[in-house]
Structures are given as structure tokens and as C-alpha cells.
Amino acid sequence: MENFTHKARRGAVIAGGLALTITLAACSSDSTGQTGTPEDTATSSLASSDSQSETGITNPKNPAALEPCELLPTEATATLGVETRGERKQNDLKPSLPDLCAWKGRENGSKQVTLVALPDRTIQQYYDNKSNYGYFEKMQVSEYPAVVGNTKAPMEGSNCTMYMAANENQIVMSSMFISTKNIGKVNPCDLAKQALELSLPSWPAAK
């Protein structure tokens, strides 16, 4: 029963994180009063060199060029303590969004990391819509700007969802889930950040 409940909670949080991802683009478009698509609005708002310099991305990556389960390299799975092979999953809330990949912990129910690359998304959209989250924090993952967008503070729950700008117009979402028995003992955001840090070097450079 505990394992079933943990799986149900994991699925609900993944769905919630992706639902907010969908909402962010719409909110960003509506707030500008423009009639173009969210992707058009996001691209035009970050087209200037000033906007590019503010993000501080000196080594842009293109993780969207990879298959979802290639986002986390094999050597990273060993460090994180998850299975070598991930499971590719469709976004049930909006099938038009890219598929994600989930890697389960080697100990049943111990943890799970989920990664997905989201093209046509900017980190500014998350900055502008921080009120959509119960807990929001700006941070850096290596030299890349990122945010934690979560329902609760990291040590108060079993999950953390982090959004990192891989380049000026592409976001990678990293979600980490830990066992409920580790709530308050393990910071899931530290693990979500570690998953990104370990993966970054393997991603292709943006052209």
C-alpha cells in the first residue's frame, strides 16, 4: 500500500510540474498583450543581446537534440543510485509536449529522477510567473540559470522540480522524488541539481 501511494504521489507531482510548464507559456503570452503564439512571444522577448547577456549562458547546450532517455548518461545513473535504463513516457496532460524519461532508484521506491527537454521555453517565463508556485527559488546549476518551482519547501516534501536554461530558448526540467521516510532528512533539490550537473557535459552544444 505504501509503495502504491508513493507511485500515485509521484505521478501527481510530475503531472503538476508539467501542467505548470504548460500554463507558464500561456501566462507569459497573455501578460504581454500580444496575439502571437507563446513560442513567438518568448523568442521575441529574448531576441536582444541585452537579454542574452543577462542570462549569463556562455556555453549553450541543445539537449532537445537527444532522445529523452539519453539526457542522463550511464555514469550519472551510478552516482545518483538509479537504474541504468530509464523509461520513456508521454506527457499525458499535453501529448504535443516532448516525452520525458524516468529513472527509478535501484532500491524499490527509494527515489526517481525525471528529465525532459522543453524547447521554446525561456527562464524569464519562470521568473515572471513565480507566483504559480508554493515555493520558488532562483539559483545556478554550474553556469546555467535555473529555478526551483515547487509546491513546498525542499525539506518539507518528497519531491523537487527544477527548471534550468540550457540555452536562451530551451529549458530542461529535472524532478527528483525520494521515499516518504526520507522527508526532512534528504533534500530532493540537491539531487535534482546533481542530476543536471552530471548530465550537462554529455549534452551537445547549441549551434
Side-chain angles (χ1 to χ4, degrees):
M1 180 63 70
E2 182 180 352
N3 192 40
F4 174 80
T5 303
H6 186 58
K7 288 181 179 178
R9 186 181 294 110
R10 269 199 318 230
V13 176
I14 290 176
L18 290 173
L20 283 169
T21 297
I22 296 168
T23 303
L24 282 176
C27 290
S28 179
S29 180
D30 292 344
S31 66
T32 61
Q34 297 183 25
T35 57
T37 65
E39 289 79 6
D40 291 340
T41 302
T43 301
S44 63
S45 66
L46 292 183
S48 70
S49 59
D50 288 342
S51 294
Q52 292 176 355
S53 63
E54 288 173 3
T55 62
I57 301 174
T58 58
N59 184 25
K61 297 284 188 174
N62 182 23
L66 299 172
E67 293 296 318
C69 291
E70 294 177 339
L71 290 171
L72 189 69
T74 301
E75 55 270 24
T77 64
T79 303
L80 291 169
V82 296
E83 295 178 352
T84 303
R85 296 186 64 180
E87 180 183 357
R88 182 169 179 162
K89 299 180 179 181
Q90 186 183 53
N91 174 20
D92 293 332
L93 289 176
K94 191 174 183 181
S96 61
L97 283 178
D99 290 350
L100 53 84
C101 191
W103 290 261
K104 296 179 181 179
R106 292 177 179 173
E107 297 180 13
N108 188 33
S110 62
K111 67 181 71 171
Q112 177 175 292
V113 61
T114 302
L115 295 176
V116 58
L118 299 166
D120 302 315
R121 297 286 184 271
T122 69
I123 198 66
Q124 188 63 46
Q125 288 175 277
Y126 294 86
Y127 294 162
D128 293 343
N129 292 278
K130 62 182 181 181
S131 61
N132 288 335
Y133 301 96
Y135 178 88
F136 184 89
E137 180 185 353
K138 287 185 180 182
M139 61 187 311
Q140 291 279 323
V141 177
S142 298
E143 73 268 31
Y144 299 83
V147 302
V148 173
N150 227 29
T151 55
K152 298 179 179 179
M155 298 298 285
E156 295 177 0
S158 61
N159 68 282
C160 178
T161 303
M162 189 172 293
Y163 304 91
M164 187 203 75
N167 62 51
E168 300 295 339
N169 201 37
Q170 192 176 136
I171 295 293
V172 176
M173 185 186 82
S174 174
S175 294
M176 177 62 73
F177 305 89
I178 59 173
S179 171
T180 53
K181 68 181 181 182
N182 285 324
I183 294 175
K185 301 175 183 177
V186 176
N187 187 334
C189 288
D190 289 345
L191 297 175
K193 182 180 180 181
Q194 186 181 29
L196 291 169
E197 290 173 335
L198 292 170
S199 302
L200 275 166
S202 70
W203 296 345
K207 296 181 180 179

